[in-house]
């Protein structure tokens, strides 16, 4: 080194405080690149660079390739199987078109405000659910862990449903469809229809016996169903390959998985409207029963549907938004995605009831033909007089209206002995009133309707491919809600964690592909998510509004969005949403306690479902699912409250460095319960936000900027710098 360089270095050393001298004395003498570097200060808002939680590298966080990709990811996560097979059922059950009123009101009260809240905190803090709630308050860090546990529980059985859809998809490439007719059984003397199928229907038999090969109770395992095991493995392989690179891989798939279901729904709607009876189904669907709006149960079910339709509390919303730029308009995103979700549900409802109207019309025609034959027999036997029958009635081509006219006449004339005649009323409304939801809608009712479509295999392939894509879109968000927080917190490689997560989930998921697996799916669906997620979202709301501070949060939003959000959100977040969520929690607990815990078991001999109560071990599993999901919240709270995690930072500010880069580490300040730095160790939380990024610029640069403490940079943050501001969102 030239002599004049040594003089300059010695002059600089004289101005450095003692702690920095100590650091310099330990510097690697061979690190010439570091010695030739300069300190450069850049505004945090201009350069969107994060400093990892106590790590020594800058945050190279992935980002969405485009705004469209991000919107499609959020839409794919929120629009799932529930929009197709849960919303239409609730709409029919709770007053038809009148149900849309409480749903829209609750969407505006709890749906959009809470969805906006999760988008905002994820985008601002740029961490998964664990990092976000650690940032807000270390004592509430368990909220993020609880979200991860719930996501894992849901992913276990949700992917089983995708496996079922894959099985039906694979069986749809044949004509006629395998569930079109009941199978024939041959013995030594003659051939007959399978009794279990004859007592039920072809599609019901295929679902319970051919697909699930279901056992008669939860306790009767029956061993693995190898067909469903293969399908479950295929489903997890698809999820793993799509998620292994995070949003870099899953984001590209979103273009297909999120848009394809809309193509299928529109095709089904056009085809359905051309079918006989479809208008009857749609008319029945949207005929409002206004008296239903006065029932509390309708509002509770509408609130629950809003809550789960948007994926609140799962962590997927936060994870996806954390890959956004900080100045993204997340308010627009929240409103857009929420209403896309709502209109998708309405579109799916139109499709479902157009098809179910067609199915009801076919069943009604069969009913008319069968009962008309009975009337002809009764006329021949003399049990009925020909004088009863209007002259214009032709039984060889009788319509439903004419049959119902004859039925009413016979009922009035033969009032006393009418029941013994064995005649049935054939009304389309009666068939449409048979509420069907979930797997019963997708794998029984809808599949039966599609067997009557022209080119039925094509429509079956499209329908089940749509279900697979709807399921995958939701699974991507669910898995992201597990992977992102863990990667952010524990700094593990995303690829390795994704593979391990999918492998563990597959092996645990084998309990769902036993012959009794469908009963476990029902158990997990009923008990693993509902109450824990409600508690999680209530705590999220309280954490931001009460602990972090509503006014401070509004200021953060103003800084991030460039405009102040409406006062509407202020009152929703502070008063209305917490109250509605608490009421929903209480109502859910009451409803759960009043409903006997059990499941519908398929009885082979009777070819029908029977309600069975859970055995004692089943009750223990149900309770354990709820407890395990919410247990991280009190555990983390007690750990933080009792200081069971050691804080090793012994000084007001500690600094470490690596070549060409400043690493900022937390400061342990007393009484700052809302900041990152209170009660946390460097490895757990993001560093305090100094408002500036400090990093090294290689020699040869024409500029030399001033460090925050007013000295020319030598690569270290001085210990005597001004008081650091409280960490912001």
């Amino acid at each position: 080194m030239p002599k004049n360089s040594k003089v300059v270095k010695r002059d600089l050393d004289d101005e450095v405080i003692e702690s920095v001298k100590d650091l310099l004395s330990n510097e690697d003498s061979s690190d010439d690149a570091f010695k030739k570097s300069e300190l450069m200060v850049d505004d945090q808002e201009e350069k969107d660079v994060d400093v990892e939680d106590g790590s020594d590298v800058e945050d190279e966080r992935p980002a969405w390739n485009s705004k469209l990709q991000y919107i499609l990811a959020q839409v794919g996560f929120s629009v799932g199987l529930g929009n197709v097979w849960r919303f239409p059922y609730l709409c029919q059950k709770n007053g038809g078109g009148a149900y849309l009123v409480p749903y829209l009101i609750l969407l505006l009260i709890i749906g959009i405000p809470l969805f906006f809240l999760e988008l905002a905190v994820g985008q601002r803090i740029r961490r998964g659910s664990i990092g976000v709630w650690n940032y807000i308050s270390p004592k509430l860090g368990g909220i993020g862990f609880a979200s991860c546990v719930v996501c894992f529980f849901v992913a276990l059985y949700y992917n089983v449903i995708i496996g079922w859809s894959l099985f039906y998809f694979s069986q749809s490439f044949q004509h006629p469809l395998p569930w079109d007719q009941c199978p024939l059984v041959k013995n030594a003397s003659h051939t007959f229809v399978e009794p279990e199928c004859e007592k039920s229907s072809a599609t019901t038999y295929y679902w319970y016996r051919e697909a699930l090969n279901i056992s008669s109770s939860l306790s009767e395992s029956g061993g693995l169903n190898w067909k469903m095991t293969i399908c479950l493995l295929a489903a997890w392989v698809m999820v793993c390959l799509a998620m292994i690179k995070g949003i870099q891989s899953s984001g590209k798939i979103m273009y297909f998985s999120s848009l394809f279901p809309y193509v299928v729904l529109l095709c089904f709607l056009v085809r359905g409207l051309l079918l006989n009876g479809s208008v009857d189904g749609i008319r029945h669907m949207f005929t409002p029963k206004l008296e239903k709006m006065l029932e509390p149960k309708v509002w509770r079910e509408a609130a629950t549907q809003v809550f789960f339709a948007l994926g609140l509390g799962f962590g997927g919303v936060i994870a996806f938004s954390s890959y956004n730029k900080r100045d993204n308009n997340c308010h627009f995103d929240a409103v857009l995605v929420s209403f896309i979700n709502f209109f998708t549900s309405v579109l799916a409802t139109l499709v479902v009831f157009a098809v179910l109207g067609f199915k009801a019309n076919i069943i009604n025609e069969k009913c008319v033909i069968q009962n008309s034959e009975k009337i002809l027999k009764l006329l021949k036997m003399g049990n009925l007089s020909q004088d009863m029958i209007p002259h214009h009635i032709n039984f060889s081509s009788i319509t439903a209206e004419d049959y119902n006219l004859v039925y009413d006449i016979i009922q009035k004339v033969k009032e006393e002995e009418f029941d013994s005649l064995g005649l049935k009323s054939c009304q389309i409304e009666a068939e449409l009133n048979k509420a069907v939801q979930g797997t019963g809608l997708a794998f029984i009712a809808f599949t039966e309707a599609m067997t009557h479509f022209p080119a039925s295999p094509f429509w079956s392939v499209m329908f089940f491919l749509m279900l697979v894509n709807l399921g995958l879109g939701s699974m991507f968000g669910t898995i992201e809600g597990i992977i992102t927080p863990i990667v952010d917190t524990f700094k593990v490689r995303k690829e390795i964690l994704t593979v391990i997560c999918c492998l563990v989930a597959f092996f645990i998921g084998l309990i769902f592909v036993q012959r009794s697996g469908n009963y476990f799916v029902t158990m997990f669906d009923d008990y693993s998510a509902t109450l824990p997620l409600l508690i999680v979202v209530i705590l999220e709301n309280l954490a931001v509004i009460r602990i972090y501070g509503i006014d401070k949060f509004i200021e953060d939003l103003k800084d991030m969005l460039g405009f102040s959000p409406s006062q509407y959100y202020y009152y929703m977040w502070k008063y209305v949403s917490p109250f509605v969520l608490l009421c929903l929690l209480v109502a859910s607990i009451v409803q759960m306690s009043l409903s006997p815990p059990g499941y519908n078991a398929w009885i082979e001999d009777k070819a029908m479902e029977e309600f069975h109560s859970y055995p004692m071990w089943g009750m223990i599993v149900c309770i354990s699912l709820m407890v395990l999901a919410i247990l991280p919240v009190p555990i983390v709270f007690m750990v933080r409250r009792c200081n069971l995690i050691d804080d090793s930072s012994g000084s007001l500010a500690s600094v470490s460095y690596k070549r060409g880069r400043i690493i900022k580490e937390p400061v342990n300040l007393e009484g700052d319960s809302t900041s990152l730095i209170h009660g946390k160790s460097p490895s757990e939380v993001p560093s305090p936000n100094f408002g500036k990024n400090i990093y090294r610029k290689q020699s040869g640069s024409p500029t030399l900027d001033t460090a925050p403490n007013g000295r020319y940079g030598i690569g270290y943050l001085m210990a005597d710098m001004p008081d650091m501001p409280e960490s912001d969102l």
Side-chain angles (χ1 to χ4, degrees):
M1 180 182 290
K3 291 183 178 182
N4 57 347
S5 297
K6 293 182 179 180
V7 172
V8 172
K9 185 176 186 303
R10 186 164 55 249
D11 291 338
L12 284 172
D13 287 342
D14 291 338
E15 296 179 8
V16 177
I17 63 173
E18 202 62 30
S19 60
V20 178
K21 284 185 178 181
D22 294 336
L23 288 170
L24 286 172
S25 65
N26 294 323
E27 183 180 356
D28 185 359
S29 58
S30 64
D31 194 352
D32 293 333
F34 178 85
K35 293 178 181 179
K36 294 178 182 178
S37 63
E38 301 170 306
L39 183 67
M40 183 173 178
V41 181
D42 192 22
D43 187 25
Q44 175 72 19
E45 295 181 358
E46 293 178 3
K47 298 286 186 179
D48 206 12
V49 180
D50 285 321
V51 180
E52 289 290 347
D53 317 343
S55 73
D56 56 0
V57 293
E58 292 178 357
D59 183 12
E60 299 176 357
R61 193 169 188 79
W64 298 104
N65 291 335
S66 66
K67 181 66 174 281
L68 175 62
Q69 190 181 79
Y70 165 67
I71 293 296
L72 289 178
Q74 291 286 14
V75 168
F77 176 50
S78 66
V79 175
L81 298 173
N83 297 75
V84 175
W85 68 31
R86 177 71 178 167
F87 186 89
Y89 161 77
L90 291 174
C91 204
Q92 174 200 21
K93 175 186 173 186
N94 295 318
Y99 173 74
L100 300 179
V101 176
Y103 186 89
L104 271 173
I105 292 173
L106 290 164
L107 181 66
L108 295 173
I109 289 176
I110 61 173
I112 294 177
L114 295 175
F115 192 60
F116 180 26
L117 185 145
E118 288 200 356
L119 289 179
V121 296
Q123 180 175 307
R124 184 63 170 176
I125 300 172
R126 307 195 75 205
R127 292 291 181 272
S129 55
I130 296 176
V132 161
W133 304 115
N134 267 335
Y135 187 106
I136 300 296
S137 173
K139 293 176 184 176
L140 292 180
I143 296 174
F145 288 99
S147 293
C148 289
V149 173
V150 173
C151 280
F152 186 71
F153 285 162
V154 171
L156 287 177
Y157 73 85
Y158 205 87
N159 224 24
V160 175
I161 300 173
I162 298 177
W164 294 342
S165 302
L166 284 172
F167 174 76
Y168 269 79
F169 172 74
S170 67
Q171 298 299 307
S172 297
F173 294 91
Q174 48 188 306
H175 185 75
L177 292 169
W179 49 84
D180 186 27
Q181 300 290 334
C182 283
L184 299 176
V185 179
K186 296 181 181 179
N187 59 18
S189 57
H190 63 283
T191 302
F192 57 93
V193 176
E194 171 63 49
E196 185 181 2
C197 183
E198 192 174 21
K199 293 176 185 177
S200 53
S201 69
T203 51
T204 304
Y205 172 82
Y206 191 86
W207 166 243
Y208 284 115
R209 190 56 51 212
E210 296 293 336
L212 299 181
N213 193 19
I214 199 166
S215 62
S216 58
S217 72
L218 182 70
S219 303
E220 184 185 339
S221 166
L224 290 177
N225 180 341
W226 67 269
K227 291 181 289 187
M228 289 304 170
T229 303
I230 293 174
C231 290
L232 178 63
L233 177 62
W236 276 115
V237 169
M238 291 168 64
V239 171
C240 184
L241 292 177
M243 296 299 300
I244 197 162
K245 293 292 185 182
I247 63 169
Q248 304 300 329
S249 53
S250 64
K252 296 179 177 62
I253 299 173
M254 293 295 179
Y255 288 108
F256 179 77
S257 65
S258 296
L259 293 176
F260 180 75
Y262 290 95
V263 175
V264 177
L265 285 174
L266 289 172
C267 290
F268 264 98
L269 180 61
V270 173
R271 186 68 188 92
L273 291 175
L274 298 176
L275 297 171
N276 188 25
S278 61
V279 177
D280 295 321
I282 294 174
R283 186 190 304 117
H284 174 83
M285 176 68 255
F286 287 102
T287 301
K289 304 177 184 68
L290 298 177
E291 66 278 2
K292 285 277 190 179
M293 290 177 59
L294 302 177
E295 298 179 12
K297 182 181 178 183
V298 173
W299 290 82
R300 178 182 62 81
E301 292 189 340
T304 305
Q305 179 64 16
V306 168
F307 186 85
F308 287 105
L310 294 175
L312 299 175
F314 280 95
V317 174
I318 294 175
F320 280 151
S321 66
S322 71
Y323 298 114
N324 270 330
K325 295 180 179 179
R326 282 196 177 92
D327 59 353
N328 175 62
N329 189 346
C330 55
H331 174 255
F332 172 79
D333 300 342
V335 175
L336 178 65
V337 173
S338 297
F339 278 101
I340 288 176
N341 186 290
F342 170 69
F343 287 116
T344 303
S345 298
V346 174
L347 174 62
T349 301
L350 284 170
V351 171
V352 167
F353 276 88
V355 174
L356 291 183
F358 166 68
K359 173 176 170 281
N361 188 70
I362 291 175
I363 293 174
N364 195 60
E365 287 177 355
K366 290 180 179 178
C367 175
V368 169
I369 293 171
Q370 291 172 356
N371 284 274
S372 297
E373 291 174 354
K374 286 184 181 180
I375 292 175
L376 287 173
K377 288 180 181 178
L378 292 171
L379 288 172
K380 290 179 181 179
M381 293 170 59
N383 293 347
L384 294 177
S385 172
Q386 187 68 43
D387 297 334
M388 296 181 189
I389 311 301
H391 297 293
H392 70 280
I393 300 297
N394 181 7
F395 282 103
S396 61
S397 59
I398 190 171
T399 63
E401 291 78 9
D402 288 343
Y403 169 77
N404 287 319
L405 175 62
V406 173
Y407 178 87
D408 291 338
I409 293 173
I410 295 174
Q411 189 177 30
K412 290 176 182 176
V413 175
K414 297 284 186 178
E415 186 174 353
E416 295 182 358
E417 52 186 285
F418 179 77
D419 292 339
S420 63
L421 299 178
L423 298 177
K424 295 180 180 179
S425 175
C426 298
Q427 299 284 345
I428 289 181
E429 288 76 14
E431 187 64 31
L432 289 170
N433 279 328
K434 295 178 181 178
V436 184
Q437 66 164 325
T439 54
L441 174 63
F443 299 108
I444 297 177
F446 219 87
T447 50
E448 182 178 346
M450 285 188 296
T451 59
H452 302 288
F453 281 21
S456 55
F458 168 77
W459 293 104
S460 183
V461 167
M462 293 284 282
F463 177 72
F464 289 110
L465 186 58
M466 178 191 73
L467 291 188
V468 169
N469 279 276
L470 284 172
L472 285 176
S474 297
M475 275 297 295
F476 294 158
T478 303
I479 297 298
E480 198 69 55
I482 303 171
I483 301 298
T484 298
I486 295 176
V487 169
D488 288 344
T489 305
F490 300 105
K491 305 299 178 292
V492 296
R493 285 194 61 183
K494 178 166 283 189
E495 296 87 347
I496 297 174
L497 179 62
T498 302
V499 172
I500 292 174
C501 179
C502 292
L503 278 175
V504 171
F506 167 72
F507 285 112
I508 297 176
L510 291 178
I511 65 172
F512 301 106
V513 290
Q514 304 174 95
R515 290 183 59 197
S516 60
N518 188 46
Y519 307 137
F520 284 98
V521 170
T522 302
M523 177 189 291
F524 272 66
D525 191 36
D526 290 341
Y527 293 97
S528 68
T530 306
L531 288 183
L533 280 181
L534 278 172
I535 295 172
V536 163
V537 175
I538 290 171
L539 292 175
E540 286 182 359
N541 192 289
L542 294 176
V544 172
I545 305 311
R546 300 295 179 186
I547 296 177
Y548 187 78
I550 179 69
D551 295 322
K552 188 176 179 182
F553 185 58
I554 294 292
E555 284 299 314
D556 288 334
L557 287 175
K558 184 177 180 181
D559 176 63
M560 185 167 61
L561 300 175
F563 62 89
S564 183
S566 169
Q567 283 293 103
Y568 169 81
Y569 291 105
Y570 179 92
Y571 293 108
M572 289 297 107
W573 286 329
K574 192 169 185 179
Y575 302 110
V576 180
S577 295
F579 175 74
V580 174
L581 286 172
L582 285 172
C583 290
L584 181 58
L585 177 62
V586 172
S588 299
I589 293 173
V590 170
Q591 187 268 338
M592 193 172 288
S593 60
L594 294 178
S595 302
Y599 60 100
N600 290 319
W602 179 257
I603 308 303
E604 183 176 357
D605 296 336
K606 300 178 182 178
M608 61 182 294
E609 289 183 334
E610 280 187 0
F611 182 81
H612 286 188
S613 296
Y614 285 120
M616 181 55 67
W617 66 267
M619 289 295 299
I620 293 173
V621 172
C622 293
I623 295 171
S624 299
L625 288 174
M626 292 186 288
V627 172
L628 285 173
I630 207 64
L631 196 60
V633 175
I635 287 179
V636 173
F637 179 84
M638 292 306 298
V639 166
R640 297 293 190 188
R641 184 79 175 84
C642 301
N643 293 322
L644 298 180
I645 294 182
D646 181 37
D647 255 343
S648 58
S649 59
S651 61
L652 180 65
S654 56
V655 183
S656 61
Y657 72 91
K658 192 173 181 177
R659 182 192 317 179
R661 182 172 292 140
I662 280 295
I663 307 303
K664 298 176 290 185
E665 296 193 4
V667 181
N668 190 14
L669 298 177
E670 296 295 335
D672 186 9
S673 61
T674 63
S675 70
L676 264 176
I677 54 181
H678 181 62
K680 297 189 179 184
S681 61
S683 63
E684 296 166 328
V685 296
S687 300
N689 180 10
F690 294 102
K692 299 282 183 182
N693 266 340
I694 304 178
Y695 60 97
R696 287 194 167 270
K697 186 174 182 180
Q698 294 301 318
S699 59
S701 169
T703 60
L704 184 63
D705 294 328
T706 306
N709 60 1
R711 307 198 178 198
Y712 286 105
I714 54 171
Y716 300 101
L717 186 67
M718 300 307 174
D720 61 341
M721 72 179 298
D723 292 339
M724 289 171 289
E726 189 174 356
S727 61
D728 292 332
L729 264 176

